[in-house]
Amino acid sequence: MKIEGRSYRTIWPSCGGAAVDIIDQTRLPHELVIARLETAEDAARAISTMQVRGAPLIGATAAYGMWLACLADSGDGALDGAHDRLLATRPTAINLRWALEEMRASLRNLAPESRAGAALARANAIADEDAATCEAIGGHGLELIREAAARRKGGGPVNVLTHCNAGWLAAVDWGTALAPVYKAFEAGIDIHVWVDETRPRNQGAALTAFELGHHGVAHTVIADNAGGHLMQRGEVDLVIVGTDRTAANGDVANKIGTYLKALAAHDNGVPFYVALPHATIDWTIASGADIPIEERGGEEVTHMRGRMAGGDMVEIEISAPGSPAANPAFDVTPARLVSGLITERGVCAASREGLLSLYPERADG
Ligand code: MRU
């Protein structure tokens, strides 16, 4: 997608095949900084510190991290070490494990001297597939937005509410929850997005607002607590969010606060859709209760980072000094609150049967 009229992806190989470049998301929205990853450890650190984040992008970064590991040492021991180090970076997004397993499977039976080339080819393919998959999600979600537009009686824009950042910055391109929005925008549908700020790290206010703004999509940042009120007043036509891991029964883990939006949507009869690529489905987990929830540092809750009027970036303390803070980073929305799952293969019910109708090859487990 575009920033200042220039097309970007979030990650790409660079230096004539010796490194990987990323958009450093810890610097957005105030600075557009491209960071360079030269080792698997760089890739692991970029994921842990959330220079890259969002389930699909975490997976793509891990894939390139395995390639960087191969450039240094393509022996079995080094690759196993890189795999384990990358897997330990963030626990909830299943795309991480998926991408690492894809990489290991494609390299395992190759002679060490062939592995670096094969690893780059597979990592590039994972990135390209992610972009194509997300675009397909956009096409299917577009139909839901068209239906919402047709349901609107008084005219005006279709109002979509989203939580966190599940746009192109969270993937390689297009995004998951925002891909339908971009498709609707391209199709000339009058659309407006309510952007939850998404405390504590503010991925909505910082990243979703940044990418929608640069693409020219009308949007408004709201405090996380405003969504229920807007739904009660009929100002939300549908909710679309992403997910970091979808259990085999259709329960979805996503950024903390998603569950509260689903409850409010259910109470107000607002459709609540979850957009995801196949790599986000964890077929080994029967329900959301088994999804590991990342616990992050309390300082993300007690402190905030932002730009002063003069342009300097500062971190300030916002809570009572000394008060402890808890920071669960994700929550689980039960399938019963989800109107449908938007995948690259189409839209299905949030249930085992629904998922199997789109992915029948998984019926045997
Ligand atoms: O902690 P983050 O910023 O990595 O969390 C991201 C989300 O929760 C997204 O909604 C999710 O990864 C879906 S991304 C397309």
Side-chain angles (χ1 to χ4, degrees):
M1 306 302 274
K2 288 198 165 69
I3 302 175
E4 310 287 359
R6 183 176 156 192
S7 290
Y8 282 89
R9 279 185 169 187
T10 50
I11 189 165
W12 60 94
S14 65
C15 279
V20 177
D21 283 359
I22 56 166
I23 296 175
D24 181 348
Q25 300 193 22
T26 62
R27 307 290 284 273
L28 292 173
H30 302 302
E31 298 168 300
L32 177 61
V33 174
I34 307 303
R36 182 148 293 166
L37 313 178
E38 294 177 331
T39 64
E41 181 56 31
D42 288 348
R45 201 177 313 112
I47 297 171
S48 299
T49 61
M50 295 177 66
Q51 285 180 298
V52 290
R53 29 66 52 202
L57 179 56
I58 290 170
T61 307
Y64 280 114
M66 289 294 283
W67 167 54
L68 294 173
C70 280
L71 290 179
D73 180 348
S74 52
D76 287 347
L79 289 190
D80 286 347
H83 173 282
D84 294 351
R85 169 74 182 98
L86 287 158
L87 188 60
T89 50
R90 294 196 70 191
T92 303
I94 190 65
N95 307 56
L96 175 62
R97 190 177 77 196
W98 174 84
L100 288 169
E101 282 176 4
E102 286 288 309
M103 292 300 289
R104 198 140 76 167
S106 69
L107 302 178
R108 189 178 292 129
N109 297 324
L110 297 180
E113 58 276 15
S114 314
R115 285 178 176 168
L120 176 59
R122 188 66 194 112
N124 280 336
I126 285 174
D128 289 346
E129 282 164 21
D130 184 66
T133 297
C134 286
E135 185 172 2
I137 289 170
H140 296 299
L142 168 62
E143 298 313 314
L144 299 171
I145 293 176
R146 280 195 205 284
E147 288 165 18
R151 280 196 303 273
R152 278 196 72 82
K153 300 207 173 56
V158 177
N159 287 300
V160 176
L161 184 142
T162 194
H163 191 67
C164 194
N165 172 259
W168 72 269
L169 288 168
V172 174
D173 207 350
W174 285 98
T176 56
L178 291 189
V181 168
Y182 290 125
K183 285 287 181 187
F185 180 75
E186 275 182 3
I189 295 173
D190 190 8
I191 190 159
H192 166 264
V193 183
W194 296 112
V195 177
D196 283 354
E197 65 174 337
T198 317
R199 281 282 290 145
R201 286 188 66 100
N202 298 320
Q203 289 95 328
L207 304 176
T208 299
F210 174 87
E211 60 167 89
L212 290 173
H214 279 273
H215 208 78
V217 180
H219 64 283
T220 306
V221 179
I222 53 173
D224 289 324
N225 296 330
H229 166 74
L230 293 170
M231 290 183 209
Q232 278 178 329
R233 292 171 58 135
E235 294 184 46
V236 180
D237 295 301
L238 73 165
V239 179
I240 312 179
V241 298
T243 167
D244 288 78
R245 195 183 296 220
T246 298
N249 70 343
D251 291 348
V252 293
N254 193 48
K255 182 54 54 191
I256 193 77
T258 302
Y259 171 50
L260 288 175
K261 294 297 139 62
L263 285 171
H266 190 255
D267 194 44
N268 289 282
V270 174
F272 183 96
Y273 286 96
V274 181
L276 63 143
H278 64 91
T280 304
I281 306 167
D282 187 346
W283 296 95
T284 71
I285 281 185
S287 83
D290 296 328
I291 297 176
I293 300 296
E294 179 178 12
E295 288 283 341
R296 296 186 61 85
E299 70 285 352
E300 291 185 351
V301 176
T302 57
H303 290 66
M304 280 179 95
R305 192 173 152 74
R307 186 172 65 175
M308 302 286 282
D312 291 342
M313 296 300 300
V314 292
E315 185 166 289
I316 56 165
E317 186 175 31
I318 58 165
S319 63
S323 290
N327 189 9
F330 299 92
D331 59 24
V332 174
T333 298
R336 67 186 162 78
L337 299 178
V338 178
S339 309
L341 302 173
I342 311 170
T343 78
E344 74 278 6
R345 294 194 185 175
V347 180
C348 69
S351 64
R352 184 167 178 80
E353 298 69 36
L355 282 167
L356 286 176
S357 72
L358 295 182
Y359 300 96
E361 71 273 20
R362 306 306 301 232
D364 296 333

